[in-house]
Amino acid sequence: MILSEVAASGQYLHFTSLHLDRDVFDITLFGHQLGLKWYSLAYIAGILIGWWYLLKLLAQPGAPMARRHADDLVFYATIGIIAGGRIGYVLFYAPEMLARPLRVLALWDGGMSFHGGAIGTSLAMFYLARRYRLDWMRVHDYVACCVPFGLFFGRLANFVNGELWGRPTTVPWAIVFPHTVPGGFDPPRHPSQLYEAGLEGIVLGLILWFFFWKTRARYQPGKLVGIFLLGYGCARYFVEFFREADIQYLNNPILGTPGLHMGQLLTFPMILGGIYLIATAKGREGRRKPFVDEQPAA
């Protein structure tokens, strides 16, 4: 009640005053409404900038694949991100959609799961490595360094959409998001989307940048992807304490409790896997095979 009255008093920034729109543009053409959403643009920007950065990494000594493999990887990874992200969302957050399978294809209805997208992307990399006889773990290492770009833009898009907001708070930088409480005053909340953009995008990206460019981590298979898994897992687990539980779990006595949110439970395998990969990476350095591009001459 106190938070609601404070929010109503106008002491906090109201999200509507930012005049943000989910659509970059929206036009009607031949009777059909067409548009580009910020969330879609975030995916495109993350993939393209990640591709550009991957090529920079591959230009350094010790690369596990050639430029032509990276070009193919972008195609396979894009499919993995979209398919895995959507399937993961349905399985982890909205299993009721399985009763109406066509809803699964309606990407605008519901959302995407990072954990599902990560699994889909990993499967795409496994396929690429098997097809071209590449070291799949080292391919994962290089791609892991590029993922924070997509996480950063994705969380910014979540903010622009006014979704995945945080828990009620009275911190000075709180924001009043609309329609968060049915039939009542909307309390000021943590802008948890921006917390995630900073931790999962900027901080994690800088950590991976340091280990790739300033250490021998790229010569120790599994170390960079381990750092990514551990870093993302810890960042996501921390931010979930400030983020409202997903609406379908909001009143759940277990998954609605901070510390046990679905997003936090899904980080446990990532954290444990990351610790294992980091701890064992040095022992794999001696088994690293130099990549030789066997593409036949024209």
Side-chain angles (χ1 to χ4, degrees):
M1 179 63 70
I2 295 177
L3 288 178
S4 298
E5 292 175 354
V6 172
S9 69
Q11 296 182 21
Y12 290 91
L13 176 66
H14 284 245
F15 181 77
T16 53
S17 68
L18 299 176
H19 304 292
L20 299 176
D21 196 318
R22 290 172 175 257
D23 299 319
V24 181
F25 65 84
D26 188 5
I27 61 174
T28 301
L29 188 63
F30 303 114
H32 297 281
Q33 194 170 13
L34 303 174
L36 176 64
K37 297 185 179 298
W38 284 107
Y39 201 65
S40 300
L41 190 61
Y43 269 83
I44 295 171
I47 291 170
L48 291 180
I49 296 177
W51 183 17
W52 166 81
Y53 187 56
L54 177 61
L55 297 180
K56 295 290 184 182
L57 302 182
L58 293 178
Q60 305 308 307
M65 58 182 172
R67 162 68 187 261
R68 63 190 180 89
H69 300 130
D71 295 343
D72 287 348
L73 177 60
V74 171
F75 172 74
Y76 296 129
T78 300
I79 295 176
I81 291 171
I82 297 174
R86 185 57 174 175
I87 294 172
Y89 174 81
V90 172
L91 294 179
F92 301 144
Y93 298 98
E96 68 277 4
M97 282 190 175
L98 295 175
R100 299 174 59 188
L102 290 180
R103 285 189 62 195
V104 177
L105 302 178
L107 299 181
W108 55 90
D109 178 13
M112 306 283 278
S113 162
F114 166 78
H115 301 90
I119 293 173
T121 304
S122 289
L123 291 176
M125 287 188 280
F126 278 122
Y127 172 76
L128 180 87
R130 182 178 178 83
R131 179 179 179 183
Y132 294 112
R133 293 182 293 176
L134 305 175
D135 185 330
W136 62 269
M137 188 170 287
R138 298 197 66 233
V139 172
H140 275 69
D141 280 336
Y142 277 62
V143 172
C145 294
C146 307
V147 175
F149 291 108
L151 292 174
F152 176 74
F153 289 118
R155 294 311 182 190
L156 289 185
N158 289 147
F159 180 77
V160 171
N161 288 348
E163 61 191 8
L164 305 183
W165 51 75
R167 301 176 66 198
T169 182
T170 56
V171 297
W173 56 87
I175 297 178
V176 181
F177 292 93
H179 312 304
T180 63
V181 178
F185 289 118
D186 292 305
R189 296 177 178 273
H190 285 286
S192 55
Q193 314 96 320
L194 301 183
Y195 300 170
E196 291 190 83
L199 288 176
E200 301 168 6
I202 298 175
V203 174
L204 183 54
L206 289 175
I207 291 173
L208 288 166
W209 175 90
F210 172 81
F211 277 97
F212 182 92
W213 294 96
K214 300 300 182 180
T215 74
R216 289 185 55 81
R218 68 176 182 266
Y219 296 109
Q220 300 172 9
K223 190 166 189 176
L224 289 170
V225 71
I227 292 170
F228 171 82
L229 291 173
L230 177 61
Y232 176 86
C234 291
R236 178 67 181 270
Y237 191 87
F238 172 75
V239 173
E240 285 283 340
F241 283 107
F242 303 94
R243 176 173 159 176
E244 192 81 285
D246 294 275
I247 189 170
Q248 58 269 51
Y249 298 128
L250 191 58
N251 298 316
N252 188 296
I254 298 177
L255 297 178
T257 303
L260 296 174
H261 288 177
M262 176 62 79
Q264 290 175 308
L265 295 180
L266 293 173
T267 64
F268 291 155
M270 301 181 72
I271 292 174
L272 294 176
I275 293 173
Y276 171 78
L277 289 173
I278 294 171
T280 58
K282 191 166 183 62
R284 289 186 291 271
E285 182 172 4
R287 300 196 299 267
R288 179 181 62 87
K289 296 181 180 179
F291 165 72
V292 178
D293 192 351
E294 298 178 351
Q295 185 179 24

